[in-house]
Amino acid sequence: MNYYYGAIVFVHVVSAVISVGPLFILLPLIRRLRTAKAEAEAEDIYLAIIRVIIRLVMHSGHVLVVTGILLILFGPWPWNTSWVILTIGVMLLSGFFLATGFSSVLKRFHEPSNDREVVVNKLQRTAWIYIGLLMVMLWLMVQKPAVW
């Protein structure tokens, strides 16, 4: 069982890297999106790349959740440990935020009634908030603090 546990930890860590890493690619893409005002084709390419990144993050998050459940089931920590409960709470919040935050901003991008700069700012703020939520989750999983 120890071999399998180690393999699950490895998959869990790799999926964590894949779910966080691509988000940092969003930041320069958003910066380029600001300057792509005149070129609608370039803007559409940047938006397509952003959608692919969000989809990659979402699917690696699914692997992260499944492996996290397996690690709790087969590992030394019970479900009622404070860091596990807090991680689950932040995970639910970030999952809701990923599902609603990015998609609503990306849908508003081509609406003529919206100010483009405001939407780009909202996209950047959404990216930073999501990165922050994932960093909190990462801290909880690495430090495993005993909050209560």
Side-chain angles (χ1 to χ4, degrees), residues 7-134:
I8 296 169
V9 169
F10 178 76
V11 173
H12 190 70
V13 170
V14 169
S15 63
V17 169
I18 294 171
S19 68
V20 174
L23 291 172
F24 289 98
I25 297 170
L26 283 181
L27 302 174
L29 278 174
I30 293 169
R31 192 171 41 250
R32 289 191 176 176
L33 193 57
R34 281 185 203 284
T35 61
K37 293 178 185 176
E39 299 179 42
E41 186 176 319
E43 182 178 278
D44 289 340
I45 290 170
Y46 292 138
L47 289 171
I49 293 169
I50 289 170
R51 284 185 184 96
V52 168
I53 289 171
I54 299 304
R55 198 168 291 127
L56 175 66
V57 166
M58 182 178 60
H59 291 308
S60 65
H62 294 142
V63 174
L64 195 61
V65 168
V66 170
T67 56
I69 290 169
L70 292 173
L71 289 172
I72 293 299
L73 287 174
F74 300 123
W77 297 281
W79 285 99
N80 62 352
T81 306
S82 60
W83 71 268
V84 173
I85 293 170
L86 290 172
T87 301
I88 292 170
V90 175
M91 179 196 64
L92 292 172
L93 181 63
S94 67
F96 175 77
F97 190 76
L98 181 64
T100 59
F102 282 106
S103 60
S104 68
V105 173
L106 291 173
K107 285 178 186 172
R108 289 184 8 203
F109 205 88
H110 287 301
E111 291 177 4
S113 62
N114 287 324
D115 180 11
R116 186 180 183 286
E117 192 66 27
V118 170
V119 176
V120 172
N121 288 341
K122 174 91 170 143
L123 183 61
Q124 185 171 17
R125 189 172 46 254
T126 302
W128 277 113
I129 290 170
Y130 191 69
I131 288 170
L133 286 170
L134 291 181

